[in-house]
Amino acid sequence: MLGLALALGLGLTVTAANAGPVVQGKHIEGELVSEHASAQPGRPLWVALRLRMEDGWHTYWRNPGDSGQATSVEWTLPPGWKAGSIAWPFPHRIDVPPLTNFGFEGDIYLPIELKAGATAGAVELKALVRTLVCKETCIPVKLELSHRLPIQAGRPEVDAKHAGGFTESRARLPLPLKGATALHDDQAVLIRAPIPAGVQADASAIELFTIDGAMMQHASRPSVRIRESQVEIRFDKSDQYDAAAKRVPAVIVFGGAQAFEIDA
C-alpha cells in the first residue's frame, strides 16, 4: 500500500467531471440511481450509489480493514428532503500481504434511504461521493453525482434497469441477530451467536467482520466452531483494541450468502 501513502501524502485527488448520469473517475465510474422511476411527496424512497471498478481495483467497506477508507457521501437535497446513512452490503476479504482489507470489486450498489419533501414536481438530487480506489496503488476519487427525479402522486414504477442491482444488494444486507455474547481475555475475544433458522452453518465458510476497525487483527483469520445450535468465533485482538470496550458490533456471514449483524 505504498501508493496509498504516496497519494495521500501528496494530497492527490481525482475529481470526475459530470458529463451526464454516469461520472467517470480514475479506474472507477459512478452514478446516482433510484429504485423507482418517480417518488411520492413526503414518502420514503431508495436510491443507491452505483460504483463500477475496473478489473483488479476495489473500494472499501465501512470498516476498511488494515488500510483504506470507507466510501462517504455528502448530499445537496431540495428543501424538506432528508437522507439516511449508507446501508452496507457485506464485503469480502481483500488480501494484500501483509495487509488484509474489506471491500468491494466489480459493480456494486450502496443503497441509501431518502425521504422526499412535501412538494411535487421534478427535483435534482446531488451527491458528492468520496471514495478510495485501490490496486497496487490507491487513488482518492471525488464523484459529483446527480439524478433528476419526478415527484408525483400515484404508485411509483420500479426502474427495470436497476431492479436487479437493488435486489442483489438487499440480499447482501445483514439482518439483525439477537442473543450473541462476547467473552474477553487478554489476547482474544470469543463470540457465541445462535445459528439463525434455515441457515446451513459450515464452520469453514463462516466469516466475521467487526464494524469497529480497531478491534481485531484483520490478517489473522478467526477460528470458527459449531456447537449444536451456536457458532463460536474467536478472534485475536488488535494492538489498538480499547480495553474499555464492552460491546462487539460485527457482521457474521454464512457461506458467502447470508449475513447477520450482532452487537455482542
Side-chain angles (χ1 to χ4, degrees):
M1 290 292 179
L2 177 60
L4 170 60
L6 291 175
L8 295 179
L10 294 173
L12 299 178
T13 299
V14 177
T15 302
N18 191 349
V22 178
V23 178
Q24 184 67 50
K26 195 169 181 64
H27 306 297
I28 188 173
E29 65 181 27
E31 58 183 321
L32 179 60
V33 302
S34 175
E35 185 174 21
H36 293 86
S38 63
Q40 295 174 301
R43 301 285 294 174
L45 65 145
W46 283 91
V47 299
L49 310 177
R50 184 185 184 186
L51 304 176
R52 290 186 291 272
M53 283 70 73
E54 292 180 6
D55 289 348
W57 292 80
H58 61 267
T59 58
Y60 293 92
W61 188 55
R62 60 193 300 187
N63 167 14
D66 288 328
S67 65
Q69 180 179 327
T71 297
S72 65
V73 57
E74 180 181 331
W75 291 97
T76 301
L77 297 173
W81 282 65
K82 295 181 181 180
S85 302
I86 293 173
W88 290 97
F90 68 81
H92 64 270
R93 290 172 64 98
I94 302 170
D95 292 311
V96 187
L99 306 177
T100 293
N101 299 317
F102 305 143
F104 308 98
E105 297 173 311
D107 188 351
I108 64 164
Y109 284 67
L110 299 179
I112 300 167
E113 187 177 40
L114 304 182
K115 184 177 180 182
T119 305
V123 299
E124 186 173 26
L125 312 175
K126 295 182 179 181
L128 175 59
V129 176
R130 292 181 172 88
T131 192
L132 193 66
V133 59
C134 300
K135 193 176 181 181
E136 287 86 5
T137 60
C138 292
I139 303 171
V141 177
K142 275 199 308 187
L143 301 170
E144 296 179 4
L145 309 181
S146 63
H147 184 71
R148 193 164 180 82
L149 188 68
I151 309 301
Q152 58 195 29
R155 185 174 180 177
E157 294 184 1
V158 172
D159 186 340
K161 180 179 178 181
H162 299 292
F166 276 95
T167 298
E168 182 178 344
S169 181
R170 279 207 179 92
R172 296 177 65 89
L173 294 179
L175 299 174
L177 179 61
K178 295 183 178 180
T181 61
L183 298 176
H184 304 248
D185 62 30
D186 291 340
Q187 286 81 37
V189 175
L190 175 64
I191 290 175
R192 292 192 177 101
I195 297 172
V199 171
Q200 296 297 317
D202 176 356
S204 66
I206 294 176
E207 293 190 277
L208 177 79
F209 301 97
T210 56
I211 293 172
D212 184 341
M215 279 198 157
M216 69 184 294
Q217 293 185 23
H218 301 115
S220 176
R221 283 187 178 271
S223 62
V224 181
R225 291 193 300 179
I226 305 296
R227 286 185 176 271
E228 298 180 350
S229 61
Q230 285 195 326
V231 58
E232 294 186 348
I233 306 175
R234 185 182 188 277
F235 67 83
D236 295 331
K237 293 179 178 178
S238 77
D239 295 337
Q240 291 80 41
Y241 186 88
D242 182 358
K246 298 185 182 297
R247 309 298 297 176
V248 182
V251 171
I252 302 174
V253 182
F254 293 85
Q258 295 171 285
F260 297 86
E261 186 166 335
I262 63 170
D263 187 13

